[in-house]
Amino acid sequence: MGISTELKQLNTEQQKAVKHTNGPLLIIAGAGTGKTSVITTKIAWLIEQKLAEPNEILALTFTDKAAEEMEERVDMLVPYGVFDMWISTFHSFCDKMLQNHALDIGLNPDYRILNTTESWLLLQKHLYNLDLDYYRPKGNPTRFIHALIKLFSRLKDENITPEEYLKFAEGMVANNDATMGDEGGKLETKRVKETADAYFQYQQLLLDNNYVDFGDLIFYANKLFVQRPNILQTYQKQFKFILVDEFQDTNLAQYNLVKLLAGKAGNITVVGDDDQSIYKFRGASVSNILNFKKDFPKSEEVVLTKNYRSTQ
């Protein structure tokens, strides 16, 4: 099926979203409204209209399956197929960035990515090297390892560095000392300081062993683009169009990443389901859909309402 045939099958709102090429676009699309068709048709249309080469379009989603499906559908729409497309998950994209530029931020490019279980085992192995008291109870020293890893992951999702969290915790301690806070407040402050120290030490542990966890991929990609603006500018020039699927599932670090890449040109299209964002999937921030309109005040909005899965 060619691009012209596919376009004719789309409704008016879907066509409007596909043909929007100037500036930011927010597509609000519920389940069954054909949002994947809109994204894949838009990519194929941009290539067919010669508005961008395949390697000048970046499309990001959350699962390998979704990325593969998008790539296959675009490949079917474009005559002779396309190569060098940047359709991937956030983590795969950031991994690619770091493989190319790890040394620019002092990271060994031969790092190994740890899954959650491996992070747990790493912490267990070095548990007595961490400055822990409350979070390493004598009767069950490994009790809080999972909770600590979850906290570290959430901090990375919020783009908070170990140094920033440590500074925040030290500020709490100083404030408590100055105000002679009650015992409950002092205990809470002590626990925050303990987790801040542990986060700092865990991150150092990863670096010392040449490991990164999944949160680090987004975290370090943000660090790369902030600390090396020349590298960021290279990719801003390369990616003439950026598309983000399941935008309601992005956390703050992921949103910050696409904002950096979009730059002043702001040719970014995001597709989100504002109903699903209440589930806070993977630390997703419901505020990202609201903030998109604030961060890109000239953005247009298209709402897809026709449901093709259910005719009720």
Side-chain angles (χ1 to χ4, degrees):
M1 186 188 293
I3 185 67
S4 57
T5 309
E6 184 75 5
L7 258 177
K8 285 175 186 173
Q9 293 182 356
L10 300 182
N11 64 41
T12 306
E13 290 305 303
Q14 289 173 324
Q15 288 191 26
K16 183 181 175 184
V18 167
K19 293 182 177 180
H20 175 94
T21 57
N22 190 19
L25 173 67
L26 170 63
I27 303 172
I28 301 294
T33 54
K35 62 185 178 65
T36 306
S37 292
V38 169
I39 294 172
T40 52
T41 306
K42 188 178 181 82
I43 295 169
W45 189 78
L46 290 168
I47 296 167
E48 195 258 352
Q49 294 291 308
K50 300 196 183 319
L51 293 166
E53 295 295 323
N55 69 341
E56 293 175 332
I57 301 169
L58 172 65
L60 296 169
T61 187
F62 280 87
T63 66
D64 291 326
K65 185 182 176 185
E68 285 166 16
E69 184 189 343
M70 283 168 67
E71 194 162 350
E72 284 171 11
R73 288 171 75 162
V74 173
D75 197 47
M76 287 169 62
L77 288 170
V78 179
Y80 313 113
V82 287
F83 303 95
D84 299 325
M85 281 195 295
W86 288 70
I87 298 178
S88 74
T89 64
F90 273 94
H91 290 101
S92 294
F93 170 74
C94 291
D95 186 28
K96 193 171 183 177
M97 290 293 101
L98 294 176
Q99 292 290 340
N100 291 336
H101 304 288
L103 291 172
D104 290 287
I105 50 169
L107 201 62
N108 188 326
D110 297 323
Y111 60 77
R112 188 165 82 82
I113 303 169
L114 299 187
N115 60 33
T116 306
T117 302
E118 290 169 325
S119 294
W120 193 97
L121 291 168
L122 180 71
L123 266 186
Q124 182 200 37
K125 183 181 177 183
H126 295 275
L127 195 58
Y128 287 90
N129 299 115
L130 304 181
D131 296 330
L132 294 173
D133 178 26
Y134 176 84
Y135 290 102
R136 192 180 57 213
K138 289 183 173 63
N140 185 6
T142 61
R143 179 183 169 190
F144 291 110
I145 290 179
H146 181 71
L148 287 170
I149 289 170
K150 199 172 177 181
L151 172 67
F152 303 156
S153 176
R154 190 59 193 266
L155 288 165
K156 290 174 187 181
D157 286 349
E158 301 284 330
N159 222 24
I160 297 169
T161 67
E163 292 80 7
E164 286 169 339
Y165 192 48
L166 202 54
K167 190 176 178 181
F168 165 73
E170 286 167 353
M172 280 184 71
V173 172
N175 187 53
N176 242 312
D177 291 344
T179 58
M180 301 291 287
D182 59 32
E183 286 306 309
K186 284 183 178 178
L187 184 61
E188 177 61 23
T189 299
K190 184 175 180 291
R191 290 176 186 175
V192 171
K193 178 67 166 64
E194 196 172 312
T195 57
D197 287 333
Y199 179 35
F200 189 90
Q201 291 163 332
Y202 168 72
Q203 206 56 22
Q204 197 55 51
L205 203 55
L206 290 172
L207 287 169
D208 291 345
N209 289 278
N210 203 25
Y211 297 145
V212 299
D213 59 25
F214 282 110
D216 280 329
L217 294 173
I218 316 287
F219 183 78
Y220 282 130
N222 269 304
K223 183 178 179 179
L224 170 70
F225 289 146
V226 169
Q227 292 190 355
R228 297 287 180 264
N230 57 318
I231 294 173
L232 172 62
Q233 284 168 11
T234 300
Y235 288 104
Q236 284 175 336
K237 287 176 184 174
Q238 178 180 335
F239 299 127
K240 292 180 179 176
F241 295 93
I242 298 170
L243 300 96
V244 183
D245 192 18
E246 306 291 0
F247 183 64
Q248 78 282 348
D249 292 342
T250 55
N251 57 45
L252 290 174
Q254 289 161 336
Y255 179 39
N256 192 60
L257 187 79
V258 293
K259 270 198 299 184
L260 285 169
L261 284 166
K264 289 179 181 177
N267 271 331
I268 178 171
T269 296
V270 300
V271 186
D273 181 349
D274 57 352
D275 285 336
Q276 286 191 21
S277 59
I278 58 171
Y279 298 115
K280 304 287 278 183
F281 175 66
R282 288 197 193 94
S285 176
V286 64
S287 62
N288 283 352
I289 286 180
L290 302 174
N291 283 339
F292 185 83
K293 297 175 187 179
K294 203 184 299 176
D295 295 330
F296 298 96
K298 294 182 180 178
S299 65
E300 288 194 30
E301 187 175 314
V302 173
V303 181
L304 305 183
T305 54
K306 187 173 180 183
N307 193 312
Y308 291 89
R309 286 186 202 161
S310 170
T311 54
Q312 291 180 2

